[in-house]
Amino acid sequence: MTRTARVEPISDDQGDAIIVSGWRVMDVTDLDAPREISRHDQEPEAIEAARRFEAETSSEPGSDPDDTQDYDGSQMDVGKHDE
């Protein structure tokens, strides 16, 4: 089964500021039971980990093919493109 990952910040609310101390990759295939897959210091590392997680699970029996979801809209060379 193809799984869906989400990248989200690990933050700490310190009064006037919200400090981002890292990034986590969450398996959100089941929205009622999300689970943490990994933690990273930098957002690009977390994005790459999420991509790998989804790609690995797309090869499991009964899975839909990986849709190459675009995690960063500023990257023109990734994601689905209309032909």
Side-chain angles (χ1 to χ4, degrees), residues 1-4 29-30 54 56-64:
M1 157 190 226
T2 302
R3 299 195 180 274
T4 303
T29 305
D30 180 355
E54 289 182 346
E56 288 168 4
T57 60
S58 70
S59 63
E60 294 174 358
S63 294
D64 293 328

Side-chain angles (χ1 to χ4, degrees), residues 7-20:
V7 174
E8 59 186 40
I10 302 168
S11 57
D12 181 29
D13 188 355
Q14 296 185 351
D16 293 345
I18 297 176
I19 306 299
V20 174

